[in-house]
Amino acid sequence: MTFGFAPSSAASMSTSASAASTSRLLEPAEWAAAGIPLLRNPREVVSGLHTRHRPRPATAIVAVLDTEERLLASASFARRPAPADGWMFRNALLDQLRRVIPHDLRRRTPVRTAVLVYCREGDARWTEEDGAWMWGLRDACTLHGLRCGAYITLTHDGWQVLGEGRGGRRPSTDSTPEPWGSSDVPPLSPRTGGAMSEVLRRAAAR
């Protein structure tokens, strides 16, 4: 005769939640095969966003670009201390996008592109957290009528466009933002969100 214990409902729910969370991420090969549009000048985009938002580790910057890669709107926010989950990241990104720019859901084909820069600890190699951000970015873009653009990590080693192999040493999490106006950064849009954006707008008007 054998004896055993049936798994509790709480344990089953925990396992199911963990499995669902794991499925809400994209592997590098999946991301590379998704046809993500390449940035013509990724360093310029990263430097401009780094100057505007001055991110620290665990900070995400979502930006919307037009067809000429001019910045239309951007927002930054701190990642909550919780397990990486693409669904939660999707909701956070979608909330920021709704704050700073109207959706394009009426268009048959997306015109504007959203890119994500995530500042984090560690090196530039892909992690499951990156995979969850990729899943979240792709889903948020679909729900807001945007093209899903590049996912870029910013670490102590510099910046890296995941899935493309392009990167550089500056900016990094340790580098000082370039002086305002020293890089070819387009003017801020009136819809650019966040307190930092308001400070920069006032500084530029002086």
Side-chain angles (χ1 to χ4, degrees):
M1 182 179 290
T2 59
F3 296 90
F5 296 92
S8 68
S9 59
S12 299
M13 290 174 63
S14 176
T15 302
S16 299
S18 177
S21 176
T22 302
S23 68
R24 291 192 287 261
L25 60 83
L26 294 176
E27 299 280 350
E30 295 176 293
W31 184 256
I36 305 299
L38 303 180
L39 288 169
R40 289 193 294 271
N41 193 336
R43 185 189 184 281
E44 183 177 303
V45 172
V46 176
S47 295
L49 293 173
H50 184 255
T51 296
R52 284 194 172 89
H53 295 277
R54 300 172 180 260
R56 305 305 305 161
T59 301
I61 306 171
V62 61
V64 180
L65 311 177
D66 67 10
T67 55
E68 300 299 320
E69 289 190 5
R70 289 187 294 259
L71 181 63
L72 298 175
S74 65
S76 62
F77 59 98
R79 179 204 188 295
R80 292 183 178 181
D85 186 324
W87 184 78
M88 293 180 64
F89 290 168
R90 186 276 307 274
N91 290 344
L93 291 169
L94 195 56
D95 179 60
Q96 296 299 323
L97 288 170
R98 287 169 174 165
R99 289 171 186 267
V100 300
I101 201 161
H103 67 74
D104 270 350
L105 294 172
R106 291 187 179 90
R107 292 182 177 272
R108 290 186 177 182
T109 304
V111 174
R112 300 181 293 188
T113 302
V115 300
L116 176 62
V117 177
Y118 182 54
C119 181
R120 62 167 173 77
E121 301 287 357
D123 56 33
R125 288 177 294 183
W126 180 89
T127 66
E128 288 193 355
E129 182 183 24
D130 294 324
W133 279 115
M134 290 171 167
W135 191 96
L137 176 62
R138 185 185 66 176
D139 218 41
C141 288
T142 299
L143 294 174
H144 207 63
L146 302 170
R147 287 201 310 169
C148 180
Y151 172 69
I152 304 164
T153 57
L154 193 66
T155 66
H156 295 292
D157 297 332
W159 58 273
Q160 179 78 19
V161 185
L162 267 68
E164 294 184 21
R166 291 192 291 174
R169 293 184 178 179
R170 293 184 63 85
S172 69
T173 53
D174 303 318
S175 63
T176 303
E178 296 180 7
W180 185 254
S182 66
S183 60
D184 298 329
V185 179
L188 282 168
S189 161
R191 289 196 181 102
T192 300
M196 179 58 70
S197 300
E198 182 62 30
V199 172
L200 291 172
R201 274 201 298 273
R202 291 176 181 175
R206 291 174 183 168

